[in-house]
Amino acid sequence: MSVHEIVEIGHPVLRERAREVTPEDLRSDAVQGLIDDMIDTMRAANGAGLAANQVAEPVRIAVVEVREGNPRYPYKPPVPLTVIVNPVIEPVDDEIEQINEGCLSVPNLRGEVPRHVNVRMRYLDRDGAEHEEVRRGLTAGTFQHELDHLDGVLIIDRTSPEQRREALAKLRPQPVLGPAG
Ligand code: ZN
């Protein structure tokens, strides 16, 4: 198990639609090892979740875990470690709320992102077992964020234009100032 480098905005893999994982792939040592490494990488970065694109592997796998007292997300309710493979999410109703989100791949940006409050989620776990669950509130938002990554979508695509401009300005390299005078 090891911690991987998390790729940041500007890397093309973050804009790729990740491919489905076949049952054979899921059973492979390579994919099981990738899942272990994603868990380590998420925990090392204090993330609430991590999608495979963020470690430059465009496959439809994400991990989510919110432990009590997470310093990046002190307001999020705890979520036990959940590995989702080939996830599909659909809204249960029309209720939307703005959630303040950050992203390990978009440093220095926090933005208000509209998310469905109640979603039905279908996915395989790492053993290939099928799950269907309803998730609500901030937890539903976290899963929608990870699913966005698997579709090549980042939070700057969903924030207001003002927040997007501010974020992109911060991401640009700052000009090197010459000596004053
Ligand atoms: Zn993210």
Side-chain angles (χ1 to χ4, degrees), residues 49-51 54 72-73 101-106 145-146 149 153-155:
L50 188 78
Q54 293 179 278
R72 274 174 65 86
Y73 300 102
E101 294 189 7
C103 179
L104 296 171
S105 294
V106 190
H145 179 114
E146 301 314 325
H149 275 302
V153 174
L154 296 172
I155 52 175

Side-chain angles (χ1 to χ4, degrees), residues 101-160:
E101 294 189 7
C103 179
L104 296 171
S105 294
V106 190
N108 305 320
L109 171 70
R110 301 296 294 225
E112 299 290 318
V113 181
R115 296 293 186 192
H116 295 286
V117 177
N118 304 299
V119 297
R120 178 171 292 107
M121 190 165 73
R122 292 192 193 86
Y123 63 95
L124 302 177
D125 64 25
R126 65 183 300 169
D127 300 316
E130 288 178 32
H131 293 258
E132 180 172 332
E133 294 160 6
V134 172
R135 300 285 185 149
R136 300 182 193 282
L138 292 175
T139 304
T142 301
F143 282 103
Q144 288 167 80
H145 179 114
E146 301 314 325
L147 199 84
D148 271 355
H149 275 302
L150 301 180
D151 290 331
V153 174
L154 296 172
I155 52 175
I156 56 160
D157 305 329
R158 298 199 186 275
T159 54
S160 67

Side-chain angles (χ1 to χ4, degrees), residues 160-173:
S160 67
E162 294 73 32
Q163 287 183 326
R164 185 177 314 135
R165 268 197 298 277
E166 215 176 284
L168 292 174
K170 277 190 215 150
L171 291 170
R172 253 175 240 126

